[in-house]
Amino acid sequence: MTHAYISGTGFYVPPEVVSNEVLREKYGIDTTHEWIVQRTGIEERRFAAAGVGTSDLALHASRDAIERAGLTPRDLDMILLATLSPDHAFPGSGVYLQEKLGLCTGDSPKFVPALDIRNQCSGFVYGLATASSMVESGRCKHVLLVGAETHSAALDLSTDGRTISSLFGDGAGAVVVSATEEDRGIRGWYLGADGRHADVLSQKVWDIKQRPFIPLNEQGVGQVQPSHMWAHMDGKLVFRNAVERMIGALMQACMDQNLTRDDIDLFFFHQANMRINQYVAQQIGLPEDKVVHNIQRYGNTTAATIPILLAEAERSGRLKRGMKIAMVAFGSGFTWGSVIADW
Ligand code: UT7
C-alpha cells in the first residue's frame, strides 16, 4: 500500500524584524509590548520589503524543502500553494512559483499542475489532506505544498488597525509530500467549515456584486475605501470558535485513528494566539513540552505557521523520525482541520 509522508521541510522569513516596540515607535501605533505579549504571546514578527511578493517567499521555502527531500524541482508532480495574500487577484501564486522554480524553461520543461488553496489559516492542513490524497491514489509521487503570506502589505499600521496589525507577520513554510511503501506518514485528516461565520474574519477589498467591482470616481479611477483595504475581525468570537473547533478537530482525528492524546509525541497548532493554544492544551490536558510554539518570533503567518513550525522543529532535533504528531488549525471561513502523521 502506498503511503504519503513528508520527505522534506523548508521555511523562509524575510530579514526585517519588527518588534512590538517598532510598531509603536516607527509606525506610531498606540500600543505597548506588554499589551501584545499578554494578550497574544507575540514579541516580534517579520515584514517583507516592498517589491517582494508571496511567490518570492514561497520560492525560498520551496527550494529548502525540495533540497532537504533530496529532490530537484523537476521531480515534482504537483504544486499546491496555500495563501490569503496571493501576488495578484489572478492567476494564483502557484503558477508564479512554478515558473520561479524553473519548471517552465530549459530542455525539458515540466508543466506540472499548480493549485492555489484559499483557506486562510487552515490552508496548510487542507493542503496536506489534498497532497496526501494525490499521493496515496498513485496520481503523484512528489507534491510540493507551500503556505506563504505577505501580510505586511495589507495591514492598517495605525492605531485604528492595532487589534489586527499587531497579530500578523510575513513568512513561508513548505513541505514535500512523497510516496513510500514504508508503513509511515500521514495517517488521517479531518476537515470542517462553517460558512455562517464567513464575514466574521474577512477582507473585502472588492465586491464582485458591484458594477464595476471597484467603484470608479469621476475621473474613472478605481477607489477603494480605506476600511475595505484591511481585514476585519470579531476577535472574541474568533477566539471562542478557535478553541472549540481546534479541540473538536483534534479529538476527531484521534478518534478516527483510535488514538488518545497520550499517543501523540508533539502537537503543532496553528500560531494565531499563544493564549488560544495554551487554552486548547489545558482543556485537553496536554503537557506543555509536547506543544510547539514560535508565535513569539513570527506572529501569525496564517497558512505558513504549521510548515514553519515543522521545519524549525526538525532543524532543532525536537521533531524526530518515528514520532507521532498532530497538526491542528482554525481560521477565517470559519474553516478548520487536523492531521495525524508518523514522522
Ligand atoms: O488565525 C485566526 C485569526 N485570529 C485570531 O485567532 C484572533 C483571535 N482573537 C484574539 O486573539 C483576541 O481577540 C485579540 C488578541 C485579537 C484581541 O484581544 P481582546 O482581549 O479580544 O481585546 P479587544 O479586541 O476586546 O480589545 C480590548 C481593548 C480595546 O480597547 P477599549 O475599547 O477597551 O478601550 C482595544 O482597542 O484593547 C485595545 N487594543 C489594543 N491596545 C493596545 C486592541 N489592540 C490593541 C493593541 N495594543 N495592539
Side-chain angles (χ1 to χ4, degrees):
M1 183 186 167
T2 301
H3 296 279
Y5 80 111
I6 293 179
S7 58
T9 63
F11 81 106
Y12 176 78
V13 289
E16 188 188 345
V17 178
V18 178
S19 67
N20 295 336
E21 208 49 43
V22 169
L23 288 182
R24 224 166 61 82
E25 283 174 4
K26 179 172 171 188
Y27 296 99
I29 299 176
D30 178 12
T31 188
T32 61
H33 178 69
E34 290 67 32
W35 192 98
I36 299 175
V37 170
Q38 200 187 27
R39 304 281 177 123
T40 71
I42 299 166
E43 294 171 20
E44 59 189 39
R45 72 286 293 142
R46 302 297 179 97
F47 281 2
V52 174
T54 295
S55 58
D56 299 312
L57 303 180
L59 177 64
H60 290 292
S62 300
R63 281 189 176 140
D64 191 13
I66 294 166
E67 197 184 314
R68 282 170 189 271
L71 302 172
T72 72
R74 266 162 222 266
D75 295 314
L76 300 175
D77 300 307
M78 185 172 192
I79 294 171
L80 299 175
L81 197 154
T83 185
L84 67 68
S85 49
D87 298 63
H88 300 295
F90 71 86
S93 287
V95 292
Y96 289 107
L97 175 61
Q98 179 199 32
E99 206 277 322
K100 286 175 184 176
L101 281 167
L103 285 173
C104 308
T105 48
D107 290 341
S108 52
K110 201 162 173 197
F111 299 112
V112 298
L115 172 70
D116 273 36
I117 297 177
R118 294 286 309 277
N119 272 70
Q120 301 70 248
C121 298
S122 63
F124 181 75
V125 290
Y126 268 70
L128 217 39
T130 310
S132 59
S133 301
M134 286 290 180
V135 168
E136 286 161 1
S137 72
R139 299 303 296 259
C140 296
K141 248 180 121 174
H142 302 291
V143 177
L144 172 67
L145 166 61
V146 195
E149 305 287 358
T150 314
H151 286 309
S152 55
L155 293 176
D156 178 3
L157 290 163
S158 73
T159 297
D160 281 351
R162 65 184 177 178
T163 312
I164 288 184
S165 57
S166 52
L167 303 180
F168 292 94
D170 301 341
V175 297
V176 178
V177 179
S178 298
T180 180
E181 298 307 313
E182 291 174 37
D183 187 17
R184 64 183 287 207
I186 314 290
R187 297 304 190 182
W189 45 262
Y190 167 77
L191 305 176
D194 182 355
R196 288 174 302 176
H197 301 294
D199 291 335
V200 169
L201 175 48
S202 60
Q203 184 215 40
K204 298 182 178 176
V205 67
W206 75 71
D207 181 352
I208 210 77
K209 298 187 296 300
Q210 296 187 99
R211 303 293 182 269
F213 72 122
I214 289 174
L216 304 180
N217 68 13
E218 283 165 6
Q219 287 76 45
V221 177
Q223 281 191 320
V224 178
Q225 295 299 323
S227 63
H228 288 174
M229 289 174 63
W230 320 125
H232 292 271
M233 172 173 76
D234 178 340
K236 287 190 168 36
L237 190 66
V238 174
F239 195 113
R240 279 201 302 277
N241 277 269
V243 168
E244 189 184 317
R245 294 302 186 182
M246 285 173 70
I247 293 173
L250 182 55
M251 303 309 269
Q252 188 63 50
C254 284
M255 265 178 351
D256 292 348
Q257 297 299 309
N258 221 0
L259 300 171
T260 73
R261 58 166 194 214
D262 300 334
D263 296 317
I264 311 280
D265 297 303
L266 282 179
F267 294 84
F268 295 85
F269 292 160
H270 168 54
Q271 304 289 292
N273 184 323
M274 181 79 96
R275 305 286 160 260
I276 294 177
N277 293 353
Q278 286 171 335
Y279 195 68
V280 169
Q282 192 195 353
Q283 291 293 305
I284 306 179
L286 307 179
E288 266 179 35
D289 62 348
K290 282 192 172 186
V291 186
V292 185
H293 305 284
N294 63 10
I295 193 168
Q296 309 92 310
R297 288 176 286 122
Y298 304 134
N300 183 349
T301 56
T302 304
T305 62
I306 294 178
I308 294 177
L309 273 182
L310 292 173
E312 285 196 332
E314 203 181 36
R315 308 282 181 284
S316 70
R318 196 166 174 196
L319 174 56
K320 296 188 190 71
R321 177 86 203 265
M323 280 185 159
K324 195 177 281 299
I325 66 166
M327 296 162 256
V328 189
F330 171 89
S332 154
F334 292 144
T335 58
W336 58 86
S338 54
V339 178
I340 306 275
D342 285 315
W343 198 252

